[in-house]
Amino acid sequence: MPETSAGVAPPSPPPLSAPPTPPIPLTELLAREELGLHRIAGPAEADLLWVHTSEMADPYPYLLGGELLLSAGVLLKDPDAYVARLVEAGAAALGFGVTPVFDTVPQALIEACDRHGLPLVEVPPEVPFTAIARAVWRLMAEARHRELRRVTRAQQALATAAARPDPIPAVLHQLAAQLEGRAVLLSADGEELHVAGRRPAPDIGAALTRLTRVVSTVTRPAPTSATDTVREAHLSAYALGGGQGLVLALATDRREAGDHTIAGVAVVLLSLLTAPHQGADAAGRSAALVRMLLGADPQDVAPLLGGAEQWTVVHARRSGDGPVDPLTAGALGAALGSALVDAGRGRDAVRVLVPGGDRITPQPGWTLGASSAAPITALDLADGQATRALGRAVATRTPLAHHHTGAGAGLAALIPPDQAEAHARALLAPLTDPLAETLRCWLSLHGSWDRTATALQVHRNTVRQRIARCAALLDADLDDMDVRTELWFALRQR
């Protein structure tokens, strides 16, 4: 069945943040000769999302899926039940260290992995688990860098195509080339207006046609996007903004991590190019979006974005689970009064740049964090404020949290800003940025371990370790209210 994203949204800006990190094939890790890893059971193919080490008899509750689980079998009693639970949890592969508990990999474990279809990798005695983890992180960094370069090249190619005399066919041609598939622009009644790329097999073409009807918005409410898979083909359909019921349909042989980002850019450009009427303001915004795609300085395009002197950065997260497509994010931007939306990487926070700062209100189905109003030259600081505000909103389960500087009021106004900043720099010098941010969040949430962990999206034990490290580096008693007060004042000056 097709997967859909509910809600009808106006055109939204392309997701300018990084695409998700692609999974790492197990074969790439096994190819690292310095590790000496060998697959001794299970299938040869597996995709690794991360590495986890556990000696628990049943690590199922602590697995998210996609892990290379490393273990020396300290509590291994029933290999068949152990492997069955790993497969149920979605683990990608099992790495088994042959020392210090076992001299060789137990035959019963080998048979269980073959039986349940879980790749089993033998880890030599001289190879520490941390070396395997470092190798995986390095491979992930390399894969992410490759994907970022691919997405950046695609964005630039699409934006350049949009400036051609025949922009719509040019954008479709570039999209089909970048995704190595078929790209079709269809009218509300299913007529193919423009086509690019190789023609798919008849059954795949028929399935793509059916999928486009799912997102048609002319006669009934419909989702803004839908996906499906037919045999080895990946199908996608996106409703364009503009109220004409136009649909972009894609058929590709693969689906990479950055493909949704690339398609989102194409959706925005095609929505702008197919809009029936554009006044001067709308044309200016369209020009600004294209220039931002081409790498223009935000300050240079600020006049085209409405000429606002102050801007508010809003970070938003959906109240439920599931990714956020660019069009759903665009609907949020429209509700907040802005077309400047960054849909993120699917599950990360959506970012909206709102002119002014007095119109931010709670939005149904979203949790919001809003910065203080800032000039366009200080949006990096406002972005950090919005991040912290969203973390506080999530931790306290409130629909909207604002960042408040408190500038110009209270005791802080009695101290010259340059002296306050100098004192803060000296006091907090021992802390790295992650430690300082954890301390700031912990103090803002009145020392709550659980709420701080929720706000920072880390484990509560990680929060405890970081706060203990802060106390040691600062040589301070963080249970002392005077100490907390001074540190809070200093953190507010950073």
Side-chain angles (χ1 to χ4, degrees), residues 184-193 209 212-213 216 245-247:
V184 185
L185 181 64
L186 300 103
S187 66
D189 57 5
E191 178 187 1
E192 293 186 352
L193 303 177
T209 300
T212 60
R213 300 193 188 107
S216 176
L246 300 180
V247 175

Side-chain angles (χ1 to χ4, degrees), residues 112-420:
C113 287
D114 275 329
R115 187 162 47 251
H116 291 282
L118 180 69
L120 175 61
V121 176
E122 181 180 0
V123 181
E126 67 274 11
V127 177
F129 287 171
T130 53
I132 299 174
R134 283 199 300 267
V136 171
W137 304 147
R138 190 176 298 113
L139 289 170
M140 292 179 71
E142 293 170 358
R144 180 175 177 81
H145 183 62
R146 289 195 300 269
E147 192 68 1
L148 280 171
R149 287 190 298 178
R150 185 177 78 92
V151 170
T152 299
R153 288 194 298 267
Q155 289 179 331
Q156 293 172 344
L158 289 169
T160 301
R164 289 173 55 90
D166 53 342
I168 294 177
V171 168
L172 286 174
H173 174 77
Q174 273 298 332
L175 183 60
Q178 296 295 331
L179 300 184
E180 298 180 8
R182 175 86 160 178
V184 185
L185 181 64
L186 300 103
S187 66
D189 57 5
E191 178 187 1
E192 293 186 352
L193 303 177
H194 298 280
V195 180
R198 65 184 185 277
R199 182 177 295 278
D203 60 332
I204 294 175
L208 187 61
T209 300
R210 290 194 298 270
L211 190 66
T212 60
R213 300 193 188 107
V214 175
V215 299
S216 176
T217 59
V218 174
T219 59
R220 56 185 174 83
T224 57
S225 66
T227 61
D228 201 0
T229 302
V230 177
R231 292 190 280 121
E232 299 299 323
H234 299 280
L235 312 180
S236 305
Y238 301 87
L240 302 188
Q244 301 180 87
L246 300 180
V247 175
L248 171 64
L250 303 173
T252 61
D253 293 334
R254 56 179 174 79
R255 184 172 288 165
E256 302 293 343
D259 288 355
H260 187 66
T261 303
I262 296 172
V265 174
V267 167
V268 173
L269 292 174
L270 291 172
S271 295
L272 295 171
L273 293 169
T274 58
H277 301 289
Q278 279 195 328
D281 291 343
R285 288 180 181 272
S286 300
L289 289 173
V290 172
R291 292 183 192 181
M292 291 180 74
L293 279 173
L294 292 170
D297 191 310
Q299 189 169 3
D300 294 337
V301 300
L304 293 175
L305 299 177
E309 296 182 357
Q310 297 289 309
W311 299 80
T312 298
V313 179
V314 177
H315 284 204
R317 184 170 288 119
R318 289 297 294 265
S319 300
D321 295 330
V324 178
D325 62 76
L327 295 175
T328 302
L332 172 66
L336 294 174
S338 175
L340 305 179
V341 182
D342 177 4
R345 296 172 293 172
R347 290 185 181 275
D348 289 348
V350 173
R351 298 186 298 178
V352 184
L353 186 58
V354 181
D358 55 353
R359 297 181 298 170
I360 310 304
T361 58
Q363 300 297 319
W366 294 88
T367 300
L368 308 179
S371 73
S372 299
I376 200 165
T377 54
L379 291 184
D380 56 337
L381 298 177
D383 191 57
Q385 294 174 0
T387 298
R388 293 189 288 272
L390 176 60
R392 189 168 69 254
V394 171
T396 57
R397 299 183 180 180
T398 55
L400 170 63
H402 288 274
H403 175 83
H404 297 291
T405 61
L411 295 176
L414 302 178
I415 304 176
D418 57 340
Q419 295 182 22

